[in-house]
Amino acid sequence: MRRGIAMLLAAAGLAFALANTARAEELTIFWAEWDPANYLQELVNDYAKETGVKVTVETTPWTDFQTKTFREFAAKGDAYDLVVGDSQWLGAGSTQGHYVDLTDFFKKHNLENVFLPATVAGYAEYPIGSHKYWAIPLEGDANGWAYRKDWFEDSKEKAAFKAKYGYELGVPKDYKQLRDIAEFFYRPDQKRYGIAIYTDNSYDAIAMGVEQTIFSYGGDLGNYATYKVNGIVNSKQAIEGLEAYHELYKFAPPGWGKAFFLEDNQAITEGLAAMSMNFFAFFPALANPTTNPHASGTGFFANPAGPTGAHFAALGGQGISIVSYSKKRDAAMKFLEWFVKDSTQKKWGELGGYTCSKAILESPEFRKATPYNDAFYQSMLMVKDFWATPEYAELLDQLNQRLYPYIVDGKGTAKESLDGVEADWTRTFNKYKRYSQK
Amino acid sequence: MSSSARRQQKPPPGASEIGRRVSKVFSKLDAKSAAGGRGLTDLAIRNLFILPTIAFLIIFNIFPLIYSLGFSFYDYSAAGNAPPVFVGLRNYKDLLDSPYIWSNFSITAKYVLVSVGGQVIVGFGIAVLLNRAIPSKGLITTLLLLPMMMSAAVVGLFWQLLYSPSWGPINYIFGLGDFPWLSDSTVALYAVAITDIWMWSPFVMLLSLAGLSAVPKHLYEAAAIDRASGWYTFTRITLPLVAPLLLIAIIFRTMEAFKTFDIAYVMSVQPTTELIAIRLYKLAFQEWQTGRSCALAYIVLIMVLAITNIYVKYLNQVRAR
């Protein structure tokens, strides 16, 4: 009997040890549920073949992504070893201890020169200019535009446009042309509309659409180093930018008050709009004839310049960070060493991921590989992001609350909206004692 | 019976009516009953049944309730690594000073009024119509109950499609063209309330139907003999007798409507449809202001309790009549 019990205990011990060994050879990456996550899973399968370490890309819908990630951080849980986090999370991730400091890793692999500067600043560095890095740029992305090339190239449309506006119909070079084209194609009687823009205010949709317009009009959201917002977020240029965005909404399809990436892609696939704003990561679906019946007639362009020539695009995309609560930090670090290799980055780009590797992005092969890659490359050279401070979620919500009534309902003026944003943000920065730290 | 068991059975001084009744039932338990003969006393069996529930309640309800009350006096973010800082009543003061929060409360009040009012009118109306001999009454009643059995998120998505300005059937049926139900700030809240009315009117109907079927028939016969008008019969017989059950339905629906989150969250992103529960969610799980969100949760709890108390007092008055 005693011998039996001893054998049972030994077997249990062995099983426990084996289970732990098996777990040590697995890594979990957490990301949002979208196509690039599937491409990443395909990519990391190669890592498993090479090293025997199984890597699983676990996903959750976008609407739940931020909440679920930070819930895990709050519990200091080790369910995820790596997280592909939004650029705005850098402040919270780094200052609240959720991300592992990757500064030495960055320097060791000379990553400041490997990746495009904008992606290093946007996805990895916090605070800005500190040269402290918390993530490896993984999925580069920016806000661009899809358009109905077939409508634009129609000879009758071209003639009618020239007669009305006095210049050729083509890819808009600035916001004035963008507005004119949107107005030109706005034909509610034909169920055809000019433009599809972001209006959803539940996370960062409307903020991304507005910020790139404000940036391109020469405005800004504030001084990210000093937290000064007074006279910046409500400057004359910022007000003009917001007015331009409100003007564009007039040419959107009816009921376009809750639109983000899904709806904006539908505007093209359903033949609703002539132009549609979206992140480049969602454009593969528009270039694919099985998901877009108008794929052959769909083109892509980078965000046009503002009236003074300022030229910006809102930064999307994410960097990959090691979760500080992971028990497999060394294994995660080894995975990142594999991920930053040129060969891995090349494969990542081939699979459909938007690599941030400067050499690959600049190569003619990459820029010609898809109808949208060149516009993507141009956009990545002019990206600019929202605040990445730990309190970014409050700032986003306050911005949404102020912008939405003006843009969608036409309530109040652009100045009143942005004055309200300035007051809210100043109060928030005071609450977090941002000014006294300076 | 041991003295300690006797002490347990004695009702505590000042116990409520319910407490006295419960104690009375327990006092009848025989510690050495047939069950006792099999190794367990009635008292032990009682404890065996009650203790897990009490433990469950304490662990999952009472403890978090008290714990979150504590947090409401601290500046604390669960997602951060900074220790909680005691701020006294500052969270409550900041919330009550915030124009956003008052706007959320005002939106919620409007929503509760429209939604519960609509549910009572529609639900009670249908109950009156069904409270007569009609063919397939059982089938009709069952079909009418279906909406409240659905998931609120599914209902929200479904109605979002119905309201679609381009191809939604609602605009088509009423000839409203491209009317943007959910994008129009003045209408969006009512559009969400209509969805809630569609979903929960059957609940009011069910309780009203139970009340209506319990009204003695002879009262209607007496009224008919006295040649009372339909309105007189309704206001003097039907309504007073159904009122207690109707009030219970109103209490339940008011509490639920006050806490509405899913339908409004799924259907609309308008600031004018941001109910207090949505604001609470944002504070707690998007902005991770744990201390402040706990304080807001307590403010909401106190408000719901206050409203419910008013209803219960009125219900007692109605019953006393």
Side-chain angles (χ1 to χ4, degrees):
Chain A
M1 178 69 179
R2 210 176 273 176
R3 202 173 149 196
I5 293 172
M7 280 179 71
L8 207 67
L9 283 173
L14 189 67
F16 182 72
L18 283 174
N20 270 344
T21 313
R23 269 205 297 274
E25 289 172 345
E26 287 180 18
L27 284 172
T28 306
I29 301 174
F30 192 53
W31 202 1
E33 192 178 285
W34 62 335
D35 285 343
N38 300 331
Y39 310 148
L40 184 64
Q41 182 63 71
E42 222 171 304
L43 179 78
V44 298
N45 288 343
D46 286 356
Y47 185 67
K49 280 181 208 157
E50 285 176 32
T51 62
V53 178
K54 188 184 169 198
V55 185
T56 307
V57 181
E58 200 175 307
T59 60
T60 193
W62 272 108
T63 45
D64 195 31
F65 183 41
Q66 187 230 18
T67 311
K68 208 167 170 182
T69 311
F70 278 84
R71 211 164 50 210
E72 190 62 20
F73 289 164
K76 298 186 173 34
D78 63 344
Y80 317 122
D81 304 300
L82 299 120
V83 163
V84 186
D86 258 351
S87 50
Q88 297 101 305
W89 301 359
L90 274 176
S94 58
T95 61
Q96 295 173 353
H98 309 311
Y99 289 168
V100 170
D101 187 345
L102 297 174
T103 309
D104 291 341
F105 181 90
F106 239 80
K107 283 178 183 160
K108 184 182 162 193
H109 295 277
N110 191 27
L111 297 181
E112 280 173 327
N113 296 317
V114 168
F115 293 112
L116 217 58
T119 66
V120 172
Y123 306 136
E125 188 185 38
Y126 190 85
I128 287 172
S130 65
H131 294 283
K132 283 187 78 69
Y133 302 105
W134 306 90
I136 306 297
L138 182 137
E139 170 78 359
D141 204 358
N143 218 5
W145 296 87
Y147 74 106
R148 290 297 300 271
K149 213 161 88 178
D150 49 349
W151 295 4
F152 275 49
E153 288 171 355
D154 184 285
S155 53
K156 281 183 192 163
E157 299 286 11
K158 280 179 98 71
F161 184 86
K162 190 160 188 189
K164 187 171 180 186
Y165 296 98
Y167 60 94
E168 290 291 337
L169 173 62
V171 168
K173 291 183 183 67
D174 55 34
Y175 262 82
K176 188 194 167 293
Q177 292 189 4
L178 187 79
R179 184 235 166 259
D180 288 349
I181 298 167
E183 183 189 51
F184 177 71
F185 282 111
Y186 183 73
R187 300 160 194 175
D189 50 324
Q190 296 173 20
K191 298 268 178 199
R192 208 184 246 202
Y193 305 91
I195 198 163
I197 55 172
Y198 292 159
T199 53
D200 190 322
N201 72 351
S202 50
Y203 182 49
D204 65 356
I206 202 168
M208 295 294 111
V210 169
E211 72 170 21
Q212 72 175 14
T213 314
I214 286 178
F215 295 152
S216 295
Y217 268 76
D220 216 326
L221 298 181
N223 184 324
Y224 292 171
T226 62
Y227 296 92
K228 181 177 162 34
V229 288
N230 183 21
I232 301 176
V233 72
N234 52 351
S235 67
K236 182 174 161 281
Q237 294 88 339
I239 291 166
E240 283 171 4
L242 181 56
E243 282 169 348
Y245 201 78
H246 171 57
E247 175 80 0
L248 291 177
Y249 180 72
K250 291 176 186 166
F251 310 119
W256 212 251
K258 191 179 190 284
F260 198 11
F261 52 86
L262 192 70
E263 291 78 10
D264 276 17
N265 261 10
Q266 278 174 349
I268 295 291
T269 58
E270 291 172 13
L272 272 178
M275 297 178 290
S276 176
M277 165 189 284
N278 220 335
F279 284 111
F280 280 91
F282 298 102
F283 287 158
L286 296 185
N288 183 349
T290 56
T291 46
N292 178 18
H294 315 292
S296 61
T298 302
F300 305 89
F301 61 89
N303 193 41
T308 57
H311 208 179
F312 288 98
L315 181 78
Q318 294 90 24
I320 185 166
S321 302
I322 299 177
V323 178
S324 58
Y325 316 112
S326 164
K327 292 189 176 75
K328 302 164 196 164
R329 286 164 59 161
D330 290 342
M333 203 68 96
K334 277 181 192 159
F335 169 79
L336 290 185
E337 280 181 0
W338 173 81
F339 181 75
V340 297
K341 282 181 184 170
D342 287 346
S343 55
T344 313
Q345 287 296 312
K346 192 166 182 292
K347 177 86 189 287
W348 175 227
E350 285 164 5
L351 284 170
Y354 278 121
T355 172
C356 301
S357 160
K358 201 161 44 172
I360 296 170
L361 284 174
E362 285 171 350
S363 69
E365 298 85 52
F366 173 83
R367 292 171 66 177
K368 285 177 190 161
T370 71
Y372 42 82
N373 272 13
D374 191 49
F376 170 73
Y377 171 70
Q378 288 170 29
S379 300
M380 290 311 288
L381 297 174
M382 56 181 190
V383 283
K384 200 166 173 179
D385 203 10
F386 190 74
W387 293 90
T389 50
E391 59 273 19
Y392 79 92
E394 280 179 69
L395 304 180
L396 256 184
D397 187 53
Q398 288 158 350
L399 184 78
N400 289 340
Q401 297 276 345
R402 296 287 185 180
L403 296 186
Y404 192 93
Y406 169 67
I407 293 168
V408 175
D409 276 334
K411 282 192 177 164
T413 63
K415 187 179 183 321
E416 284 165 4
S417 300
L418 291 176
D419 282 347
V421 172
E422 185 264 312
D424 288 348
W425 284 3
T426 304
R427 196 169 50 246
T428 303
F429 288 139
N430 269 317
K431 188 173 87 181
Y432 289 97
K433 302 183 175 61
R434 295 293 175 204
Y435 300 115
S436 56
Q437 285 173 5
K438 293 288 140 190
Chain B
M1 191 182 281
S2 69
S3 59
S4 64
R6 277 200 193 93
R7 269 202 306 277
Q8 281 178 24
Q9 286 170 17
K10 191 180 172 190
S16 67
E17 175 74 9
I18 295 168
R20 275 198 296 276
R21 283 184 190 173
V22 170
S23 300
K24 203 173 163 186
V25 171
F26 286 151
S27 69
K28 287 178 185 167
L29 293 174
D30 181 1
K32 289 181 179 164
S33 66
R38 287 195 296 273
L40 279 175
T41 62
D42 282 349
L43 205 65
I45 291 170
R46 180 197 77 180
N47 289 341
L48 213 62
F49 275 103
I50 291 174
L51 284 178
T53 313
I54 290 176
F56 187 88
L57 270 175
I58 289 171
I59 295 167
F60 292 104
N61 283 39
I62 312 290
F63 173 71
L65 202 70
I66 294 166
Y67 202 61
S68 60
L69 179 66
F71 271 141
S72 73
F73 301 113
Y74 283 86
D75 180 9
Y76 175 59
S77 167
N81 278 345
V85 177
F86 184 77
V87 291
L89 291 170
R90 203 183 75 195
N91 284 335
Y92 289 91
K93 186 184 171 298
D94 286 351
L95 285 167
L96 294 173
D97 282 347
S98 162
Y100 286 130
I101 297 294
W102 282 109
S103 158
N104 295 136
F105 272 122
S106 136
I107 291 164
T108 309
K110 206 189 289 179
Y111 176 79
V112 170
L113 218 64
V114 175
S115 174
V116 178
Q119 285 163 30
V120 169
I121 293 166
V122 175
F124 188 70
I126 297 172
V128 171
L129 289 175
L130 282 176
N131 188 37
R132 62 192 71 195
I134 52 169
S136 309
K137 186 176 161 182
L139 180 70
I140 294 169
T141 311
T142 310
L143 287 175
L144 285 169
L145 290 176
L146 283 179
M148 73 175 201
M149 293 172 190
M150 293 179 185
S151 143
V154 172
V155 169
L157 288 171
F158 175 66
W159 274 80
Q160 207 181 17
L161 297 178
L162 293 179
Y163 282 131
S164 170
S166 310
W167 40 268
I170 291 178
N171 279 356
Y172 179 75
I173 292 166
F174 294 105
L176 295 172
D178 288 339
F179 186 71
W181 286 88
L182 296 170
S183 301
D184 188 307
S185 64
T186 47
V187 178
L189 186 72
Y190 300 106
V192 177
I194 288 170
T195 307
D196 200 47
I197 292 169
W198 178 82
M199 190 174 175
W200 288 107
S201 291
F203 176 77
V204 180
M205 178 203 81
L206 199 66
L207 287 193
S208 304
L209 208 55
L212 285 168
S213 56
V215 178
K217 293 280 176 287
H218 65 84
L219 293 178
Y220 289 119
E221 287 162 9
I225 291 165
D226 289 342
R227 294 188 177 180
S229 67
W231 178 247
Y232 189 88
T233 310
F234 177 74
T235 52
R236 297 300 173 96
I237 299 172
T238 311
L239 206 54
L241 288 172
V242 179
L245 269 175
L246 199 59
L247 267 172
I248 289 171
I250 293 171
I251 291 172
F252 277 118
R253 287 312 310 145
T254 305
M255 283 164 68
E256 286 299 314
F258 207 89
K259 296 185 294 179
T260 298
F261 172 81
D262 27 27
I263 286 187
Y265 192 72
V266 165
M267 289 182 73
S268 173
V269 291
Q270 287 269 3
T272 52
T273 58
E274 192 176 276
L275 303 171
I276 195 70
I278 296 176
R279 165 67 27 200
L280 183 53
Y281 166 77
K282 284 183 174 176
L283 267 183
F285 299 112
Q286 286 188 350
E287 298 171 15
W288 289 96
Q289 300 192 56
T290 312
R292 193 169 285 205
S293 60
C294 287
L296 181 58
Y298 268 89
I299 293 172
V300 172
L301 178 72
I302 290 163
M303 284 191 169
V304 171
L305 283 176
I307 294 166
T308 311
N309 259 327
I310 294 167
Y311 276 135
V312 170
K313 276 196 176 163
Y314 187 64
L315 176 66
N316 287 336
Q317 279 175 16
V318 170
R319 275 184 176 159
R321 271 187 240 144

